[in-house]
Amino acid sequence: MPTRAGRSPLSRDRVLRAAAALADRDGLAALTMRKLGQELGVEAMSLYKHVANKDEVLDGLAELLLAEFDPPTDDVGWREAMRRHAVSARATLARHPWGPVVLSRSGPSPAMLRNLDSVIGSLRRSGFSVELAAHAISLLDSYVYGWAVQEASLPFDTPDELAELTGAIMEGFSAEEYPHLAEMGTELIMRPGYDHGRQFEWGLELVLDGLERALGEGGSGG
Amino acid sequence: MPTRAGRSPLSRDRVLRAAAALADRDGLAALTMRKLGQELGVEAMSLYKHVANKDEVLDGLAELLLAEFDPPTDDVGWREAMRRHAVSARATLARHPWGPVVLSRSGPSPAMLRNLDSVIGSLRRSGFSVELAAHAISLLDSYVYGWAVQEASLPFDTPDELAELTGAIMEGFSAEEYPHLAEMGTELIMRPGYDHGRQFEWGLELVLDGLERALGEGGSGG
DNA sequence: CCCGGTGGCTTACAAAGTAAGCTAGGTGTA
DNA sequence: TACACCTAGCTTACTTTGTAAGCCACCGGG
């Protein structure tokens, strides 16, 4: 007899979705096989009929995540395509703070390769040399990824919380110890209307400007 | 009687250094309190006389790491100062693949704040507005950090190994599936003399160019 | 009607963090 | 000198987690 009536049967897919939901809700550290089982109304060991082990669950999360990234489209020009791709990646990673962790421990999965291939393709069709495309991807990826990692480690979600937190941190140290930090805190971050996310876009535009210039120069730069 | 004669007494500092050495040698996952104890010729529980718990060990590793970063100096101009700082940070993180992990889980520690403050100071003294300095740091940090995270997850150390690995990955998929990736693999990455690290510098120069331009425009950009 | 396979369950063990309390050896003080 | 005390390291034991091994009930086909 089923533990709970009307429960749909388990499947690898349902396991992974539940894992993502659990990690979203309670954090990646709370994702244990036992809790995951509970979530699905099942004992921990039952999960092993559908996934080989916990590593496979984590790899599966990486796949789910990559599937959420919009691949670039060719109908808007490379610059807009890259911008959208970067913005979407950042938004996805912000939605799932466990994203960077699972991505950085997964090897080159098909989803990852597919994603990469489509970005390279978009750039190549817009006139980027192989080398310049490599440079562009490396730069954009590092930026987005690094941003996301730092964002994921910040313990706040809204600008208000940021201001509040900044204030709390700043009470912990004297303005003599870290004068420049103090200045930045009071004159920028705690100002009403300050939006941390704006910085992401600013940096992204700077990077895109640089790439546009490098593309115009026709070479690989250097 | 000491387990091993002539052993110097334990201390928080010795514990942290041993932890760093162990993580360097066997990876962060191998850093357990028991192994760390062994490394020091001591039982696991003895460590707790010097550190509160494992979290404190990890936080301590973050401090050690930050101490390895060269702070920027004022005698070379902001651009060269930022370049050196970024290059040094990248080198440090490459030397310690566990770096990104411990950094991203540690809150704003004094070492972190000090580091940040000195970078802001260097920029401010070179004419950066508060806002532009914030943008610059955010961009540079994200780039270096994102690069480091990705580099840390790569399972090779030398260019030769990269070429070899790329070849191995590319045997796993058909050129029809990922045509652009295949092209990049054969025409760029597996070419003799290809140096992945060069891409870091290329991106860094692009970013510095952009910042220089933004500084010249005198405003905060936007 | 039996039979094998499948999906979930129970049990059990190893690794890891760490709480609690023990003890020996050195130290300051009467 | 003797004694009380402090400290660093030790022992034991509990909890959480991943997962190996094997059990059993059900279900569809011969």
Side-chain angles (χ1 to χ4, degrees):
Chain A
M1 186 208 319
T3 317
R4 205 161 10 121
R7 179 182 67 196
S8 45
L10 234 46
S11 70
R12 181 187 142 96
D13 197 64
R14 262 170 52 78
V15 169
L16 295 182
R17 283 182 199 293
L22 181 54
D24 280 342
R25 180 155 47 79
D26 298 344
L28 192 59
L31 173 55
T32 70
M33 298 304 273
R34 284 169 170 83
K35 289 218 191 79
L36 183 51
Q38 271 179 29
E39 212 71 11
L40 291 158
V42 134
E43 294 300 314
M45 287 313 292
S46 304
L47 301 172
Y48 287 87
K49 284 276 151 50
H50 302 276
V51 294
N53 48 41
K54 187 173 178 180
D55 275 0
E56 194 182 312
V57 174
L58 295 177
D59 290 349
L61 288 186
E63 305 271 322
L64 284 187
L65 201 71
L66 287 166
E68 276 190 51
F69 291 0
D70 312 334
T73 55
D74 276 340
D75 54 358
V76 289
W78 70 267
R79 184 167 173 141
E80 182 60 18
M82 289 303 118
R83 191 202 332 271
R84 288 186 193 174
H85 186 62
V87 167
S88 126
R90 183 219 159 186
T92 301
L93 291 172
R95 221 166 20 246
H96 308 296
W98 41 267
V101 179
V102 303
L103 282 187
S104 69
R105 40 143 284 124
S106 94
S109 62
M112 173 83 87
L113 296 175
R114 190 162 44 246
N115 185 58
L116 210 53
D117 194 76
S118 84
V119 176
I120 301 176
S122 173
L123 292 172
R124 295 283 287 128
R125 281 189 296 276
S126 301
F128 281 65
S129 70
V130 172
E131 191 174 7
L132 188 55
H135 283 148
I137 290 194
S138 170
L139 173 53
L140 280 166
D141 270 12
S142 292
Y143 177 54
V144 173
Y145 200 72
W147 178 279
V149 173
Q150 296 188 79
E151 201 168 27
S153 77
L154 296 178
F156 61 84
D157 297 302
T158 72
D160 287 349
E161 283 177 273
L162 169 57
E164 200 176 321
L165 192 71
T166 304
I169 291 176
M170 284 178 54
E171 284 184 18
F173 64 76
S174 58
E176 294 93 61
E177 272 182 291
Y178 311 112
H180 306 294
L181 216 47
E183 181 192 40
M184 188 172 284
T186 54
E187 293 190 17
L188 183 67
I189 302 177
M190 294 177 62
R191 279 282 171 77
Y194 171 77
D195 180 3
H196 180 240
R198 200 83 51 81
Q199 299 213 337
F200 176 74
E201 261 108 49
W202 190 92
L204 181 56
E205 292 307 323
L206 187 150
V207 167
L208 293 172
D209 282 347
L211 292 177
E212 190 157 5
R213 202 163 278 119
L215 179 62
E217 286 165 9
S220 56
Chain B
M1 184 206 323
T3 317
R4 206 160 12 119
R7 181 182 67 197
S8 43
L10 234 46
S11 71
R12 182 188 141 96
D13 197 64
R14 260 169 53 77
V15 169
L16 295 182
R17 281 181 199 296
L22 180 55
D24 280 343
R25 180 155 47 78
D26 299 343
L28 192 59
L31 174 54
T32 70
M33 297 305 273
R34 285 168 168 86
K35 289 219 192 78
L36 183 51
Q38 271 179 29
E39 212 70 12
L40 291 158
V42 135
E43 293 301 314
M45 286 314 290
S46 303
L47 302 172
Y48 287 87
K49 283 275 150 46
H50 303 276
V51 295
N53 48 39
K54 187 173 177 180
D55 275 0
E56 194 181 312
V57 174
L58 295 177
D59 290 349
L61 289 185
E63 303 272 323
L64 283 187
L65 201 71
L66 287 166
E68 278 190 48
F69 290 0
D70 312 335
T73 56
D74 276 341
D75 53 358
V76 289
W78 71 267
R79 183 166 174 143
E80 181 62 18
M82 289 302 118
R83 191 204 329 273
R84 288 185 191 175
H85 186 63
V87 166
S88 126
R90 182 220 159 186
T92 301
L93 291 172
R95 225 171 11 250
H96 307 296
W98 41 268
V101 178
V102 304
L103 282 186
S104 69
R105 42 144 279 125
S106 93
S109 63
M112 173 84 87
L113 296 175
R114 190 161 45 244
N115 185 58
L116 211 52
D117 193 76
S118 84
V119 177
I120 303 175
S122 172
L123 292 172
R124 294 285 285 128
R125 281 187 296 276
S126 301
F128 282 65
S129 70
V130 172
E131 191 175 6
L132 188 55
H135 282 147
I137 289 194
S138 169
L139 172 53
L140 281 166
D141 271 11
S142 293
Y143 176 53
V144 173
Y145 200 72
W147 177 279
V149 173
Q150 296 188 76
E151 201 170 26
S153 77
L154 296 178
F156 61 84
D157 296 302
T158 72
D160 288 350
E161 282 177 273
L162 170 57
E164 201 177 321
L165 193 71
T166 304
I169 291 175
M170 285 178 53
E171 283 183 22
F173 64 75
S174 58
E176 295 93 61
E177 273 182 290
Y178 311 112
H180 306 294
L181 216 48
E183 181 192 40
M184 187 171 286
T186 55
E187 294 189 17
L188 182 67
I189 302 177
M190 294 177 63
R191 278 284 170 77
Y194 172 77
D195 180 2
H196 181 242
R198 200 83 51 80
Q199 300 212 337
F200 175 74
E201 261 108 48
W202 190 91
L204 181 56
E205 292 308 322
L206 187 150
V207 167
L208 293 173
D209 281 349
L211 291 177
E212 190 157 3
R213 202 164 278 118
L215 178 62
E217 285 164 11
S220 55

